[in-house]
Amino acid sequence: MRPLRADFYRRPVVEVARDLLGCTVVHGATAGIIVETEAYHEGEPASHAFVGLTARTRPLFGPPGRAYVYRSYGIHALLNAVCEAEGVGAAVLIRALEPTRGLEEMRARRGAVADDRELCSGPGKLTQALGVGLEHNDTDLARGAVRILARVEGWEPGGVTVGPRVGITRAAEVPWRFALAANEHVSRPRPGARRAAAVRAG
DNA sequence: CATGGGATTGACT
DNA sequence: GTCAATCCCATGC
C-alpha cells in the first residue's frame, strides 16, 4: 500500500469521499481502514470553508492532499483530507475506521471501551485512538506523520451506504455521507440528530 | 475586547 | 432522551 498522492484528492470532493472508503490511515504503529466519510464543500453552509478564507480555514483552501485538523466542541480533534484544486475550499471528514494495527496502543489511548468496535467508531474517537491532534493540521498526508494509504489491490467496497451527514444544522439534507454498509465499525447515527431531514423528505 | 456556537462523546435519567 | 465538558475562532461592538 502506497500513500495517496495529490492527484487523488484533486477531484470533486464527493468522489474522493466515496473513494477513500477502504483506504488506510496510519500514524506511528497504529492504523485503520476508513469505513465512513463525509464530504464538505465551500459552496454549502455546513462547510467551514463557507465563510471564506480565514486563519482557521486556510488549510482548506490550500493544496489537496494535506490534513485539516480542528478542535470540535473544545474537546475533540477531527481529521479531514483537503480536496479539489488549490484555492477551492473542500475536504473529506474521516468519520470512522476499522482498526488494523496497534490495537493495544489504541485501547490505552481510548481508555476503557466495551469492545474494539468502539475504538474508532466516530470522528473524535479515531483521532484519539491514533494520537492525531491539532499539531497535524496542514501536514502532508503522503509524507507527514499521518498518512493515508491506497486501497489494497483487488479491494472491493461491497455495499456502500449513502445518506445525510451527521451532527450538522445547516444543509443537513445533502446526502454526502458514505459508509461501508455491513461494517461493524461505523459511527452510530445520532438518534437525537435532527429529524429535520426526514421530516422534510416526508 | 466580549461573546456565542459548534462536522462530539460519554455519563446519567 | 437529556446534558455537560471545553476551547478555538468568527463576529460584532
Side-chain angles (χ1 to χ4, degrees):
Chain A
M1 294 190 290
R2 297 169 39 186
L4 295 167
R5 295 154 36 127
D7 285 347
F8 176 89
Y9 302 98
R10 196 183 294 107
R11 293 184 292 147
V13 67
V14 175
E15 287 184 19
V16 179
R18 183 196 59 213
D19 291 347
L20 276 174
L21 295 176
C23 298
T24 294
V25 179
V26 184
H27 183 220
T30 56
I33 299 171
I34 299 172
V35 298
E36 180 179 347
T37 61
E38 284 177 359
Y40 288 88
H41 189 276
E42 64 178 56
E44 41 92 21
S47 170
H48 289 175
F50 185 68
V51 299
L53 181 60
T54 66
R56 180 199 198 190
T57 63
R58 184 164 41 84
L60 284 172
F61 291 90
R66 301 179 75 84
Y68 169 57
V69 184
Y70 72 97
R71 187 165 299 291
S72 173
Y73 291 91
I75 303 173
H76 305 101
L78 269 57
L79 172 65
N80 297 254
V82 174
C83 295
E84 308 213 1
E86 184 167 2
V88 178
V92 173
L93 170 68
I94 311 299
R95 284 196 58 88
L97 304 177
E98 177 178 332
T100 54
R101 296 216 322 260
L103 282 279
E104 282 304 322
E105 195 171 342
M106 292 188 191
R107 294 188 193 102
R109 291 204 184 102
R110 291 273 293 124
V113 293
D115 63 80
D116 290 345
R117 289 175 299 186
E118 296 178 17
L119 281 177
C120 298
S121 60
K125 297 178 184 179
L126 71 91
T127 54
Q128 184 183 28
L130 268 62
V132 173
L134 300 188
E135 67 271 24
H136 298 111
N137 188 35
D138 210 21
T139 60
D140 192 327
L141 289 171
R143 304 160 179 258
V146 179
R147 302 183 182 193
I148 301 182
L149 311 181
R151 292 169 175 169
V152 297
E153 190 116 6
W155 186 91
E156 293 293 335
V160 173
T161 298
V162 182
R165 295 170 295 184
V166 176
I168 57 175
T169 57
R170 300 181 296 180
E173 74 285 358
V174 180
W176 282 2
R177 174 176 179 250
F178 301 88
L180 298 183
N183 197 281
E184 295 275 288
H185 302 263
V186 300
S187 72
R188 247 191 334 186
R190 288 240 83 65
R194 293 295 71 83
R195 300 198 214 290
V199 171
R200 190 176 314 210

mmCIF file of all heavy atoms in Angstrom, chain A residues 4-11 16 58-68 80-88 90-91 138-142:
data_model
loop_
_atom_site.group_PDB
_atom_site.id
_atom_site.type_symbol
_atom_site.label_atom_id
_atom_site.label_comp_id
_atom_site.label_asym_id
_atom_site.label_seq_id
_atom_site.Cartn_x
_atom_site.Cartn_y
_atom_site.Cartn_z
ATOM 1 N N LEU A 4 -1.533 7.886 -0.849
ATOM 2 C CA LEU A 4 -2.277 8.533 -1.928
ATOM 3 C C LEU A 4 -1.629 9.868 -2.250
ATOM 4 O O LEU A 4 -1.258 10.622 -1.351
ATOM 5 C CB LEU A 4 -3.729 8.736 -1.502
ATOM 6 C CG LEU A 4 -4.524 7.448 -1.282
ATOM 7 C CD1 LEU A 4 -5.826 7.750 -0.558
ATOM 8 C CD2 LEU A 4 -4.787 6.751 -2.598
ATOM 9 N N ARG A 5 -1.496 10.140 -3.538
ATOM 10 C CA ARG A 5 -0.847 11.382 -3.965
ATOM 11 C C ARG A 5 -1.869 12.479 -4.194
ATOM 12 O O ARG A 5 -3.079 12.241 -4.210
ATOM 13 C CB ARG A 5 -0.033 11.129 -5.226
ATOM 14 C CG ARG A 5 1.119 10.177 -5.000
ATOM 15 C CD ARG A 5 1.514 9.438 -6.265
ATOM 16 N NE ARG A 5 1.399 10.271 -7.448
ATOM 17 C CZ ARG A 5 2.387 10.459 -8.319
ATOM 18 N NH1 ARG A 5 3.570 9.918 -8.105
ATOM 19 N NH2 ARG A 5 2.193 11.168 -9.396
ATOM 20 N N ALA A 6 -1.350 13.676 -4.427
ATOM 21 C CA ALA A 6 -2.217 14.858 -4.539
ATOM 22 C C ALA A 6 -3.275 14.703 -5.629
ATOM 23 O O ALA A 6 -4.406 15.169 -5.480
ATOM 24 C CB ALA A 6 -1.377 16.104 -4.799
ATOM 25 N N ASP A 7 -2.933 14.005 -6.718
ATOM 26 C CA ASP A 7 -3.892 13.827 -7.813
ATOM 27 C C ASP A 7 -5.166 13.137 -7.356
ATOM 28 O O ASP A 7 -6.249 13.405 -7.862
ATOM 29 C CB ASP A 7 -3.254 13.010 -8.946
ATOM 30 C CG ASP A 7 -2.259 13.833 -9.746
ATOM 31 O OD1 ASP A 7 -2.262 15.079 -9.563
ATOM 32 O OD2 ASP A 7 -1.499 13.255 -10.524
ATOM 33 N N PHE A 8 -5.022 12.218 -6.401
ATOM 34 C CA PHE A 8 -6.197 11.501 -5.884
ATOM 35 C C PHE A 8 -7.192 12.480 -5.267
ATOM 36 O O PHE A 8 -8.407 12.325 -5.414
ATOM 37 C CB PHE A 8 -5.747 10.479 -4.837
ATOM 38 C CG PHE A 8 -6.884 9.741 -4.174
ATOM 39 C CD1 PHE A 8 -7.373 8.559 -4.721
ATOM 40 C CD2 PHE A 8 -7.460 10.226 -3.009
ATOM 41 C CE1 PHE A 8 -8.419 7.873 -4.104
ATOM 42 C CE2 PHE A 8 -8.512 9.554 -2.389
ATOM 43 C CZ PHE A 8 -8.992 8.370 -2.946
ATOM 44 N N TYR A 9 -6.668 13.489 -4.589
ATOM 45 C CA TYR A 9 -7.523 14.438 -3.866
ATOM 46 C C TYR A 9 -7.981 15.608 -4.739
ATOM 47 O O TYR A 9 -8.935 16.288 -4.388
ATOM 48 C CB TYR A 9 -6.775 14.999 -2.648
ATOM 49 C CG TYR A 9 -6.302 13.948 -1.677
ATOM 50 C CD1 TYR A 9 -4.990 13.469 -1.708
ATOM 51 C CD2 TYR A 9 -7.163 13.432 -0.709
ATOM 52 C CE1 TYR A 9 -4.549 12.515 -0.805
ATOM 53 C CE2 TYR A 9 -6.732 12.480 0.202
ATOM 54 C CZ TYR A 9 -5.421 12.027 0.154
ATOM 55 O OH TYR A 9 -4.994 11.077 1.049
ATOM 56 N N ARG A 10 -7.292 15.811 -5.865
ATOM 57 C CA ARG A 10 -7.622 16.937 -6.728
ATOM 58 C C ARG A 10 -8.765 16.577 -7.665
ATOM 59 O O ARG A 10 -8.660 16.614 -8.881
ATOM 60 C CB ARG A 10 -6.388 17.379 -7.525
ATOM 61 C CG ARG A 10 -6.542 18.769 -8.141
ATOM 62 C CD ARG A 10 -5.348 19.177 -8.985
ATOM 63 N NE ARG A 10 -4.130 19.349 -8.211
ATOM 64 C CZ ARG A 10 -3.101 18.515 -8.221
ATOM 65 N NH1 ARG A 10 -3.149 17.426 -8.959
ATOM 66 N NH2 ARG A 10 -2.040 18.748 -7.490
ATOM 67 N N ARG A 11 -9.897 16.195 -7.078
ATOM 68 C CA ARG A 11 -11.098 15.789 -7.815
ATOM 69 C C ARG A 11 -12.308 16.277 -7.028
ATOM 70 O O ARG A 11 -12.165 16.730 -5.891
ATOM 71 C CB ARG A 11 -11.156 14.253 -7.916
ATOM 72 C CG ARG A 11 -10.068 13.638 -8.761
ATOM 73 C CD ARG A 11 -10.286 12.143 -8.865
ATOM 74 N NE ARG A 11 -10.078 11.469 -7.583
ATOM 75 C CZ ARG A 11 -10.761 10.389 -7.191
ATOM 76 N NH1 ARG A 11 -11.695 9.871 -7.949
ATOM 77 N NH2 ARG A 11 -10.501 9.841 -6.019
ATOM 78 N N VAL A 16 -14.061 11.845 -3.967
ATOM 79 C CA VAL A 16 -12.957 11.464 -3.093
ATOM 80 C C VAL A 16 -13.489 10.832 -1.811
ATOM 81 O O VAL A 16 -12.943 9.842 -1.321
ATOM 82 C CB VAL A 16 -12.076 12.685 -2.766
ATOM 83 C CG1 VAL A 16 -10.934 12.280 -1.837
ATOM 84 C CG2 VAL A 16 -11.519 13.302 -4.042
ATOM 85 N N ARG A 58 -7.710 28.413 6.321
ATOM 86 C CA ARG A 58 -6.642 28.493 5.325
ATOM 87 C C ARG A 58 -6.215 27.129 4.774
ATOM 88 O O ARG A 58 -6.068 26.977 3.561
ATOM 89 C CB ARG A 58 -5.443 29.245 5.901
ATOM 90 C CG ARG A 58 -4.323 29.480 4.926
ATOM 91 C CD ARG A 58 -3.362 30.540 5.440
ATOM 92 N NE ARG A 58 -3.116 30.379 6.876
ATOM 93 C CZ ARG A 58 -2.216 29.557 7.389
ATOM 94 N NH1 ARG A 58 -1.477 28.827 6.596
ATOM 95 N NH2 ARG A 58 -2.040 29.458 8.689
ATOM 96 N N PRO A 59 -6.030 26.098 5.630
ATOM 97 C CA PRO A 59 -5.639 24.799 5.076
ATOM 98 C C PRO A 59 -6.658 24.237 4.088
ATOM 99 O O PRO A 59 -6.282 23.557 3.122
ATOM 100 C CB PRO A 59 -5.534 23.904 6.314
ATOM 101 C CG PRO A 59 -5.262 24.851 7.437
ATOM 102 C CD PRO A 59 -6.035 26.088 7.097
ATOM 103 N N LEU A 60 -7.940 24.548 4.298
ATOM 104 C CA LEU A 60 -8.986 24.031 3.404
ATOM 105 C C LEU A 60 -8.821 24.556 1.977
ATOM 106 O O LEU A 60 -9.205 23.886 1.021
ATOM 107 C CB LEU A 60 -10.371 24.418 3.939
ATOM 108 C CG LEU A 60 -10.897 23.620 5.127
ATOM 109 C CD1 LEU A 60 -12.175 24.250 5.668
ATOM 110 C CD2 LEU A 60 -11.140 22.177 4.737
ATOM 111 N N PHE A 61 -8.288 25.755 1.872
ATOM 112 C CA PHE A 61 -8.114 26.371 0.558
ATOM 113 C C PHE A 61 -6.726 26.096 -0.020
ATOM 114 O O PHE A 61 -6.412 26.544 -1.119
ATOM 115 C CB PHE A 61 -8.355 27.884 0.646
ATOM 116 C CG PHE A 61 -9.791 28.247 0.914
ATOM 117 C CD1 PHE A 61 -10.265 28.378 2.216
ATOM 118 C CD2 PHE A 61 -10.687 28.429 -0.135
ATOM 119 C CE1 PHE A 61 -11.593 28.701 2.466
ATOM 120 C CE2 PHE A 61 -12.021 28.748 0.107
ATOM 121 C CZ PHE A 61 -12.471 28.885 1.407
ATOM 122 N N GLY A 62 -5.899 25.390 0.729
ATOM 123 C CA GLY A 62 -4.549 25.090 0.286
ATOM 124 C C GLY A 62 -4.523 23.942 -0.705
ATOM 125 O O GLY A 62 -5.564 23.499 -1.198
ATOM 126 N N PRO A 63 -3.323 23.438 -1.016
ATOM 127 C CA PRO A 63 -3.185 22.347 -1.985
ATOM 128 C C PRO A 63 -3.846 21.069 -1.474
ATOM 129 O O PRO A 63 -3.883 20.822 -0.268
ATOM 130 C CB PRO A 63 -1.670 22.180 -2.110
ATOM 131 C CG PRO A 63 -1.104 22.772 -0.868
ATOM 132 C CD PRO A 63 -2.031 23.872 -0.470
ATOM 133 N N PRO A 64 -4.361 20.227 -2.404
ATOM 134 C CA PRO A 64 -5.008 18.980 -1.996
ATOM 135 C C PRO A 64 -4.003 17.982 -1.447
ATOM 136 O O PRO A 64 -2.818 18.060 -1.743
ATOM 137 C CB PRO A 64 -5.632 18.473 -3.308
ATOM 138 C CG PRO A 64 -4.794 19.089 -4.379
ATOM 139 C CD PRO A 64 -4.380 20.433 -3.857
ATOM 140 N N GLY A 65 -4.505 17.067 -0.602
ATOM 141 C CA GLY A 65 -3.639 16.033 -0.066
ATOM 142 C C GLY A 65 -3.007 16.382 1.260
ATOM 143 O O GLY A 65 -2.122 15.672 1.734
ATOM 144 N N ARG A 66 -3.465 17.477 1.873
ATOM 145 C CA ARG A 66 -2.964 17.822 3.191
ATOM 146 C C ARG A 66 -4.071 17.602 4.216
ATOM 147 O O ARG A 66 -5.236 17.416 3.863
ATOM 148 C CB ARG A 66 -2.478 19.273 3.226
ATOM 149 C CG ARG A 66 -1.366 19.538 2.226
ATOM 150 C CD ARG A 66 -0.906 20.979 2.262
ATOM 151 N NE ARG A 66 -0.086 21.295 3.431
ATOM 152 C CZ ARG A 66 1.224 21.071 3.507
ATOM 153 N NH1 ARG A 66 1.851 20.508 2.488
ATOM 154 N NH2 ARG A 66 1.897 21.391 4.581
ATOM 155 N N ALA A 67 -3.702 17.623 5.494
ATOM 156 C CA ALA A 67 -4.678 17.393 6.558
ATOM 157 C C ALA A 67 -5.281 18.724 7.023
ATOM 158 O O ALA A 67 -4.601 19.744 7.043
ATOM 159 C CB ALA A 67 -4.011 16.696 7.745
ATOM 160 N N TYR A 68 -6.561 18.692 7.332
ATOM 161 C CA TYR A 68 -7.203 19.807 8.035
ATOM 162 C C TYR A 68 -7.718 19.230 9.345
ATOM 163 O O TYR A 68 -8.633 18.415 9.359
ATOM 164 C CB TYR A 68 -8.341 20.386 7.199
ATOM 165 C CG TYR A 68 -9.238 21.365 7.937
ATOM 166 C CD1 TYR A 68 -8.713 22.502 8.551
ATOM 167 C CD2 TYR A 68 -10.614 21.154 8.025
ATOM 168 C CE1 TYR A 68 -9.530 23.403 9.222
ATOM 169 C CE2 TYR A 68 -11.443 22.054 8.694
ATOM 170 C CZ TYR A 68 -10.903 23.168 9.290
ATOM 171 O OH TYR A 68 -11.714 24.054 9.955
ATOM 172 N N ASN A 80 -9.579 15.763 8.630
ATOM 173 C CA ASN A 80 -10.086 15.887 7.260
ATOM 174 C C ASN A 80 -8.944 15.775 6.274
ATOM 175 O O ASN A 80 -7.800 16.099 6.591
ATOM 176 C CB ASN A 80 -10.723 17.268 7.037
ATOM 177 C CG ASN A 80 -11.942 17.529 7.904
ATOM 178 O OD1 ASN A 80 -13.059 17.514 7.431
ATOM 179 N ND2 ASN A 80 -11.716 17.783 9.181
ATOM 180 N N ALA A 81 -9.278 15.363 5.032
ATOM 181 C CA ALA A 81 -8.325 15.378 3.920
ATOM 182 C C ALA A 81 -8.755 16.475 2.958
ATOM 183 O O ALA A 81 -9.880 16.462 2.441
ATOM 184 C CB ALA A 81 -8.313 14.025 3.213
ATOM 185 N N VAL A 82 -7.868 17.444 2.727
ATOM 186 C CA VAL A 82 -8.170 18.570 1.844
ATOM 187 C C VAL A 82 -8.245 18.089 0.397
ATOM 188 O O VAL A 82 -7.389 17.324 -0.050
ATOM 189 C CB VAL A 82 -7.107 19.675 1.995
ATOM 190 C CG1 VAL A 82 -7.331 20.798 0.984
ATOM 191 C CG2 VAL A 82 -7.113 20.214 3.420
ATOM 192 N N CYS A 83 -9.292 18.543 -0.323
ATOM 193 C CA CYS A 83 -9.529 18.069 -1.686
ATOM 194 C C CYS A 83 -9.687 19.222 -2.681
ATOM 195 O O CYS A 83 -9.709 20.381 -2.292
ATOM 196 C CB CYS A 83 -10.789 17.205 -1.734
ATOM 197 S SG CYS A 83 -10.662 15.687 -0.790
ATOM 198 N N GLU A 84 -9.810 18.834 -3.947
ATOM 199 C CA GLU A 84 -10.027 19.733 -5.082
ATOM 200 C C GLU A 84 -8.823 20.656 -5.276
ATOM 201 O O GLU A 84 -7.838 20.584 -4.557
ATOM 202 C CB GLU A 84 -11.340 20.503 -4.909
ATOM 203 C CG GLU A 84 -12.516 19.554 -4.629
ATOM 204 C CD GLU A 84 -13.842 20.015 -5.201
ATOM 205 O OE1 GLU A 84 -13.896 21.067 -5.835
ATOM 206 O OE2 GLU A 84 -14.836 19.283 -5.021
ATOM 207 N N ALA A 85 -8.912 21.501 -6.289
ATOM 208 C CA ALA A 85 -7.762 22.319 -6.657
ATOM 209 C C ALA A 85 -7.420 23.322 -5.560
ATOM 210 O O ALA A 85 -8.292 23.714 -4.774
ATOM 211 C CB ALA A 85 -8.051 23.050 -7.961
ATOM 212 N N GLU A 86 -6.167 23.729 -5.509
ATOM 213 C CA GLU A 86 -5.761 24.777 -4.587
ATOM 214 C C GLU A 86 -6.606 26.017 -4.863
ATOM 215 O O GLU A 86 -6.834 26.382 -6.011
ATOM 216 C CB GLU A 86 -4.275 25.087 -4.760
ATOM 217 C CG GLU A 86 -3.763 26.111 -3.771
ATOM 218 C CD GLU A 86 -2.240 26.170 -3.752
ATOM 219 O OE1 GLU A 86 -1.599 25.432 -4.539
ATOM 220 O OE2 GLU A 86 -1.694 26.941 -2.949
ATOM 221 N N GLY A 87 -7.094 26.637 -3.786
ATOM 222 C CA GLY A 87 -7.970 27.790 -3.945
ATOM 223 C C GLY A 87 -9.437 27.449 -3.754
ATOM 224 O O GLY A 87 -10.257 28.339 -3.544
ATOM 225 N N VAL A 88 -9.767 26.151 -3.851
ATOM 226 C CA VAL A 88 -11.138 25.696 -3.598
ATOM 227 C C VAL A 88 -11.203 25.090 -2.197
ATOM 228 O O VAL A 88 -10.404 24.220 -1.863
ATOM 229 C CB VAL A 88 -11.585 24.642 -4.645
ATOM 230 C CG1 VAL A 88 -12.995 24.148 -4.343
ATOM 231 C CG2 VAL A 88 -11.490 25.217 -6.046
ATOM 232 N N ALA A 90 -12.479 22.647 0.132
ATOM 233 C CA ALA A 90 -13.215 21.386 0.179
ATOM 234 C C ALA A 90 -12.389 20.349 0.926
ATOM 235 O O ALA A 90 -11.160 20.363 0.874
ATOM 236 C CB ALA A 90 -13.523 20.885 -1.233
ATOM 237 N N ALA A 91 -13.072 19.455 1.647
ATOM 238 C CA ALA A 91 -12.365 18.430 2.409
ATOM 239 C C ALA A 91 -13.294 17.270 2.732
ATOM 240 O O ALA A 91 -14.517 17.416 2.739
ATOM 241 C CB ALA A 91 -11.798 19.019 3.705
ATOM 242 N N ASP A 138 -2.612 20.850 8.575
ATOM 243 C CA ASP A 138 -1.842 21.363 7.446
ATOM 244 C C ASP A 138 -0.571 20.566 7.169
ATOM 245 O O ASP A 138 0.370 21.087 6.586
ATOM 246 C CB ASP A 138 -1.500 22.853 7.668
ATOM 247 C CG ASP A 138 -1.388 23.611 6.342
ATOM 248 O OD1 ASP A 138 -1.936 23.130 5.336
ATOM 249 O OD2 ASP A 138 -0.742 24.674 6.326
ATOM 250 N N THR A 139 -0.537 19.304 7.585
ATOM 251 C CA THR A 139 0.607 18.452 7.241
ATOM 252 C C THR A 139 0.266 17.598 6.016
ATOM 253 O O THR A 139 -0.902 17.380 5.703
ATOM 254 C CB THR A 139 1.003 17.527 8.406
ATOM 255 O OG1 THR A 139 -0.107 16.680 8.745
ATOM 256 C CG2 THR A 139 1.396 18.332 9.631
ATOM 257 N N ASP A 140 1.308 17.114 5.350
ATOM 258 C CA ASP A 140 1.153 16.364 4.102
ATOM 259 C C ASP A 140 0.735 14.919 4.387
ATOM 260 O O ASP A 140 1.439 14.188 5.075
ATOM 261 C CB ASP A 140 2.488 16.392 3.347
ATOM 262 C CG ASP A 140 2.364 15.893 1.919
ATOM 263 O OD1 ASP A 140 1.539 14.994 1.669
ATOM 264 O OD2 ASP A 140 3.098 16.408 1.062
ATOM 265 N N LEU A 141 -0.399 14.510 3.832
ATOM 266 C CA LEU A 141 -0.921 13.166 4.106
ATOM 267 C C LEU A 141 -0.180 12.077 3.326
ATOM 268 O O LEU A 141 -0.460 10.891 3.511
ATOM 269 C CB LEU A 141 -2.422 13.103 3.782
ATOM 270 C CG LEU A 141 -3.317 13.873 4.758
ATOM 271 C CD1 LEU A 141 -4.743 13.942 4.233
ATOM 272 C CD2 LEU A 141 -3.284 13.238 6.140
ATOM 273 N N ALA A 142 0.757 12.469 2.468
ATOM 274 C CA ALA A 142 1.553 11.476 1.740
ATOM 275 C C ALA A 142 2.951 11.331 2.349
ATOM 276 O O ALA A 142 3.577 10.281 2.224
ATOM 277 C CB ALA A 142 1.685 11.860 0.263
#
